[in-house]
Amino acid sequence: MPDADGDGLRDEDELAAGLDPADPDSDGDGVLDGVDPSPADAGGALVAAPDPQVGCDTGGRASGALGLLLAAALVRRRRR
């Protein structure tokens, strides 16, 4: 299963979703496509279907330490 950009999504899945398989952050929002709940929308809402390939199991919210890191990054970004 090739993942040319190392973002956690297979190249064929990125192509099917209209993402760039050579860019780990297709929408340029600072979040890797594989953990970004809206990888094609830099300003999108935090909603996504659960995807076991990227460690999400709670309706788009990353679980465990990754979830805490993402939440902290989003809070810091919104305060700017």
Side-chain angles (χ1 to χ4, degrees):
M1 298 188 304
D3 177 14
D5 57 10
D7 63 1
L9 294 177
R10 297 180 307 167
D11 294 346
E12 65 186 56
D13 293 337
E14 288 196 74
L15 289 170
L19 304 174
D20 182 353
D23 185 352
D25 180 17
S26 295
D27 61 7
D29 66 354
V31 181
L32 294 178
D33 293 342
V35 294
D36 192 337
S38 300
D41 181 12
L46 291 178
V47 234
D51 186 345
Q53 288 188 344
V54 295
C56 291
D57 60 4
T58 56
R61 291 188 174 90
S63 60
L66 177 60
L68 291 174
L69 289 173
L70 289 173
L74 288 171
V75 168
R76 274 185 258 127
R77 183 175 178 172
R78 288 184 181 165
R79 289 182 181 167
R80 290 184 193 172

